[in-house]
């Protein structure tokens, strides 16, 4: 399915979100597929973001 999406969206912007590294993606998916997905990539890395879903309990 991912291959079909990438083929259909050639020369169009596509947003991918993941918590996996490129090496981990290549372990899960075919290397050629990951290479195609990473073509002309603009990476935004959130290193110090907090999880808004977790509410802090007051003690």
């Amino acid at each position: 399915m991912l291959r079909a999406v990438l083929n259909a969206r050639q020369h169009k912007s596509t947003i991918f979100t993941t918590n996996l590294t490129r090496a981990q993606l290549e372990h899960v998916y075919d290397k050629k597929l990951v290479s195609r997905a990473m073509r002309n990539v603009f990476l935004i890395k959130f290193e110090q973001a907090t999880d808004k879903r977790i509410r802090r309990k007051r003690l």
Side-chain angles (χ1 to χ4, degrees):
M1 180 57 76
L2 188 54
R3 186 180 311 274
V5 169
L6 290 174
N7 285 338
R9 296 201 50 82
Q10 283 185 347
H11 309 294
K12 295 179 183 176
S13 297
T14 305
I15 297 172
F16 290 96
T17 59
T18 183
N19 58 351
L20 301 177
T21 65
R22 183 179 182 131
Q24 291 169 326
L25 287 170
E26 289 177 350
H27 182 72
V28 175
Y29 299 103
D30 180 63
K31 285 184 179 184
K32 290 181 183 179
L33 182 70
V34 174
S35 176
R36 184 177 296 172
M38 299 295 269
R39 185 182 311 146
N40 296 323
V41 69
F42 180 77
L43 179 66
I44 301 173
K45 200 169 187 178
F46 296 95
E47 293 180 342
Q48 296 180 354
T50 58
D51 191 340
K52 303 288 187 203
R53 298 170 293 184
I54 299 174
R55 294 183 185 187
R56 293 187 178 185
K57 294 182 181 181
R58 289 186 154 171
L59 298 175

